[in-house]
Amino acid sequence: MILGIGTDLCNIERIEGTLQRFGDRFRDRVFTEVELRKARSRPHEAATLAKRWAAKEACSKALGTGLRMGIAWRDMGVSNLPSGQPVMRVTGWAADRLRQMTPPGHEAILHVTLTDDHPWAQAFVVIEARPIA
């Protein structure tokens, strides 16, 4: 069963400008260490971070809260499986919210997909509840 769906579109040039203006203060406030390592290993850091920004926005929408009610940017983080597939992990208040919205006898699965085509980055997040076997 689908518990939530969220999407976001982010302008990569806007993220570039924010990085130039605020640098590490912005990076450290919004992104996890895993996300920052991934972005620093890529030729276009801003595009990588823009996709993750969009994923955080999409996740907060799928949780039904948006970025309010106590959710922090770093409560949501994107990493990649060895295959390259992105995965969303939640901690803190976002994890609490996910537990609250998951029906008894089910586990929550977060699906995320990312894409970019300069100057745009986009993400979709779907939260699925699967019965525990």
Side-chain angles (χ1 to χ4, degrees), residues 26-62:
F26 170 67
R27 286 179 186 91
D28 295 340
R29 183 175 152 253
V30 174
F31 301 102
T32 66
E33 284 302 315
V34 170
E35 291 171 318
L36 292 172
R37 273 196 307 274
K38 181 73 164 184
R40 288 179 181 128
S41 74
R42 298 294 181 116
H44 302 289
E45 178 189 23
T48 300
L49 293 179
K51 286 186 283 191
R52 277 137 182 86
W53 172 282
K56 291 167 188 279
E57 287 274 8
C59 183
S60 71
K61 293 170 185 174

Side-chain angles (χ1 to χ4, degrees), residues 32-97:
T32 66
E33 284 302 315
V34 170
E35 291 171 318
L36 292 172
R37 273 196 307 274
K38 181 73 164 184
R40 288 179 181 128
S41 74
R42 298 294 181 116
H44 302 289
E45 178 189 23
T48 300
L49 293 179
K51 286 186 283 191
R52 277 137 182 86
W53 172 282
K56 291 167 188 279
E57 287 274 8
C59 183
S60 71
K61 293 170 185 174
L63 289 168
T65 62
L67 283 161
R68 56 184 175 86
M69 297 176 60
I71 291 181
W73 288 104
R74 292 173 55 104
D75 285 349
M76 302 165 285
V78 177
S79 59
N80 295 84
L81 298 177
S83 65
Q85 176 185 344
V87 292
M88 175 68 70
R89 301 194 195 290
V90 293
T91 59
W93 198 93
D96 292 344
R97 172 70 180 143

Side-chain angles (χ1 to χ4, degrees), residues 98-121:
L98 184 60
R99 278 190 293 277
Q100 291 169 2
M101 63 190 293
T102 304
H106 290 74
E107 65 177 336
I109 311 295
L110 286 97
H111 303 276
V112 61
T113 186
L114 309 172
T115 191
D116 68 286
D117 186 7
H118 193 84
W120 300 107

